[in-house]
Amino acid sequence: MKKTVSRAALVGVALCLFFIIFQISVSSTSRFLKYATNSPKPTQEEGTRKLKVISHPPKSLRLPVESPIICDRTDIRYDLCSINGPTVLDPSKSTFFTIGSAQHSIMEKVQPYPRKFEKFIMPRIKNLTLTSGPQRPPCKVPHNVPALVFSAGGYTGNFFHDFNDGFIPLFITVHTIFPDQDFVIVVSEAPNWWPSKYADLLTVFTKHHIIVLKNDTPTHCFPSAKIGLMSHGFMTINQTLLPNSKTLLDFRVLLDKAYTPQAQPKVLTPKHRNPRPKLVLASRTEAKGRSILNQEQVIRLIKKAGFDVVVFKPKNKTPLNESYALLNSSHAMVGVHGAALTHSLFLRPGAVLVQVVPIGVEWAAYAFFGRVAKGLHLQYSEYKIGVEESSLVDKYGNGSLLVKDPFALQKTGWDPEIMDIYLKEQNVKLDLIRFKACLKKAYVKAKRFMEANG
């Protein structure tokens, strides 16, 4: 009897435990399924609040789409600012004023020169001020087209920099921002000679009078303004970054348009029964550094190779239409790395360019002028001098690191003191035997080009 009761009790207890566990399991599963598959939908207020968070990021990340002044400072080479609405320029203060809220006034300062990466020159570039507020000065000279504003300070006056930091970036900026739109050019810090020297080229960009801030006193008003020039790098136009895929060849078409009507026939080579290719030798005899010490011997060698030689010594006052006429009518150009080789922009596509490269400037030689040659489809070659052809050997000796391993000194960049040695202290004395071989190849190419293109 005891065993029976005990066994029955155990069975009852077991059944009770099973029932309790089953209930707990069912209850937990129901709650899980309820929240996993049938969770309550957010209220309209909660949904709206979440949408606002997604649509409007924190203030520090918002793009000021409706702001009257927007500056893009993300590029390593340049800053570009936009005034999105009517603005008044006060030349005496180098300031653009635009109407804005008194509670949310804006002030930006910008140096519109595309060498932002260079600590040496940028402190010398004047800041322009862009400001918005409830008031602005009255307008004296109205314009019905936007302003494009940039600096012609810095290295302006060096022919290379006039194009590298000026006209090529201007071409890029115009075809990016104003591809089919008229505009007024406003220039800060331009030397007195700059507007007249480049007048023909400037008129290809705009039909309007160029405004030079330091020479102007009345206020000017514009419907909008862009401040700064865009750059793709040294002497480079990257067609993939332009909406209309313009290239350096298109830039040369612009040069043709500017200078062909005024090309001077007097510098053209007279016609002969057996014409010889014309070679322009860019001379640096009056420059500081990188002169050809045996230039007279080199000229005789060039003539023996079959060329007619024109020695070219460009100066700041040399009219550009004359320089253009000379180079545009030539079949080859030779010169030591230097600003004068910027005139290779005037060579016709297919012409020959030989750059004499002193030691220590190999990178710059290609970055500055090799790229031009590639972009213009020139037949380009480099004559890299040997150590014995550099005057630095006499001054520093064969064992100097300056002479035997320039790359080691340039690993951390272009130290100004080191580069002054390579650019200003170094002259070259060409090995006539080596250079003769270079000239023979250049002559074959130039002759072929002359026969095909005149």
Side-chain angles (χ1 to χ4, degrees):
M1 182 70 181
K2 286 181 180 179
K3 288 182 179 180
T4 303
V5 173
S6 177
R7 190 175 296 166
L10 288 172
V11 171
V13 170
L15 288 172
C16 288
L17 287 171
F18 174 79
F19 180 78
I20 292 170
I21 292 171
F22 177 79
Q23 286 292 95
I24 293 173
S25 176
V26 170
S27 177
S28 299
T29 303
S30 299
R31 284 197 301 273
F32 173 78
L33 291 174
K34 177 181 178 181
Y35 288 109
T37 62
N38 195 31
S39 56
K41 295 181 179 180
T43 64
Q44 184 175 2
E45 181 180 352
E46 290 173 331
T48 303
R49 187 162 59 247
K50 289 181 180 179
L51 286 173
K52 285 183 178 178
V53 171
I54 294 172
S55 299
H56 301 283
K59 187 175 181 180
S60 61
L61 299 179
R62 295 178 192 171
L63 291 174
V65 177
E66 299 179 358
S67 173
I69 299 172
I70 300 174
C71 288
D72 182 354
R73 304 184 188 273
T74 58
D75 197 277
I76 191 174
R77 300 179 187 91
Y78 62 87
D79 291 334
L80 186 66
C81 293
S82 301
I83 299 179
N84 305 305
T87 182
V88 175
L89 164 64
D90 186 342
S92 65
K93 298 179 180 178
S94 297
T95 300
F96 284 85
F97 296 88
T98 186
I99 293 295
S101 168
Q103 290 76 23
H104 300 94
S105 60
I106 300 171
M107 178 178 287
E108 295 278 1
K109 290 186 179 293
V110 60
Q111 295 168 288
Y113 190 70
R115 294 184 76 90
K116 188 173 75 172
F117 59 87
E118 190 173 322
K119 295 179 181 179
F120 172 75
I121 200 64
M122 290 308 291
R124 306 182 185 190
I125 302 298
K126 187 175 183 178
N127 270 300
L128 299 183
T129 302
L130 321 178
T131 182
S132 72
Q135 296 181 341
R136 60 185 179 186
C139 173
K140 298 289 181 65
V141 183
H143 302 270
N144 59 3
V145 296
L148 175 56
V149 189
F150 60 91
S151 172
Y155 293 120
T156 297
N158 176 295
F159 196 64
F160 167 78
H161 289 285
D162 288 354
F163 280 82
N164 182 71
D165 307 332
F167 291 108
I168 291 178
L170 176 60
F171 180 87
I172 291 169
T173 307
V174 168
H175 284 279
T176 302
I177 299 175
F178 302 115
D180 300 304
Q181 189 177 358
D182 201 7
F183 57 92
V184 175
I185 289 178
V186 178
V187 185
S188 170
E189 303 175 278
N192 291 333
W193 53 263
W194 187 86
S196 58
K197 178 172 182 175
Y198 292 112
D200 295 330
L201 185 51
L202 289 166
T203 55
V204 177
F205 284 101
T206 177
K207 63 184 180 182
H208 299 280
H209 176 72
I210 308 299
I211 299 173
V212 181
L213 289 188
K214 70 175 185 177
N215 298 334
D216 243 45
T217 52
T219 57
H220 296 257
C221 52
F222 306 92
S224 62
K226 298 287 184 182
I227 300 90
L229 291 180
M230 306 171 74
S231 172
H232 293 164
F234 294 114
M235 299 298 280
T236 301
I237 297 174
N238 186 342
Q239 67 183 98
T240 65
L241 300 179
L242 290 172
N244 47 18
S245 300
K246 296 292 184 180
T247 68
L248 205 56
L249 284 172
D250 295 295
F251 180 74
R252 197 194 181 283
V253 169
L254 182 140
L255 296 177
D256 284 340
K257 186 176 180 181
Y259 297 115
T260 295
Q262 300 184 56
Q264 303 294 316
K266 65 181 180 181
V267 301
L268 301 180
T269 303
K271 292 183 178 180
H272 298 289
R273 291 184 180 179
N274 297 308
R276 292 154 59 94
K278 183 167 67 175
L279 183 147
V280 174
L281 175 64
S283 174
R284 294 182 57 87
T285 54
E286 298 176 11
K288 188 175 182 179
R290 287 163 286 147
S291 295
I292 300 176
L293 298 176
N294 56 341
Q295 180 169 294
E296 291 305 316
Q297 291 176 291
V298 169
I299 291 172
R300 288 195 293 270
L301 189 65
I302 293 172
K303 290 179 179 179
K304 286 182 180 180
F307 289 101
D308 282 335
V309 185
V310 178
V311 178
F312 181 48
K313 297 181 180 180
K315 297 180 174 61
N316 285 336
K317 294 183 180 180
T318 302
L320 280 185
N321 59 312
E322 291 185 10
S323 298
Y324 171 87
L326 171 63
L327 273 299
N328 188 61
S329 64
S330 299
H331 309 101
M333 182 179 190
V334 173
V336 181
H337 172 78
L341 290 187
T342 310
H343 292 86
S344 60
L345 287 165
F346 298 162
L347 289 170
R348 289 172 289 171
V352 176
L353 175 63
V354 178
Q355 179 175 197
V356 177
V357 183
I359 61 175
V361 298
E362 290 85 354
W363 175 85
Y366 180 77
F368 297 172
F369 304 116
R371 286 178 179 172
V372 170
K374 183 179 179 181
L376 293 182
H377 299 176
L378 301 179
Q379 300 185 75
Y380 175 72
S381 62
E382 293 180 349
Y383 177 84
K384 295 182 179 180
I385 71 168
V387 170
E388 69 284 352
E389 295 172 89
S390 172
S391 64
L392 295 180
V393 173
D394 298 331
K395 187 171 184 177
Y396 295 96
N398 283 322
S400 170
L401 197 63
L402 277 165
V403 174
K404 68 179 184 180
D405 194 0
F407 295 105
L409 298 176
Q410 299 174 21
K411 286 181 180 178
T412 58
W414 276 38
D415 182 270
E417 294 180 358
I418 298 297
M419 292 317 300
D420 277 351
I421 294 174
Y422 290 125
L423 296 176
K424 296 181 180 179
E425 294 185 20
Q426 180 175 202
N427 293 309
V428 301
K429 186 176 182 180
L430 300 186
D431 182 320
L432 298 181
I433 296 175
R434 284 188 62 221
F435 194 58
K436 181 179 179 180
C438 175
L439 286 174
K440 283 184 176 181
K441 295 178 182 178
Y443 174 79
V444 172
K445 296 175 183 177
K447 180 75 170 177
R448 190 183 303 125
F449 174 72
M450 180 187 69
E451 292 170 347
N453 300 277

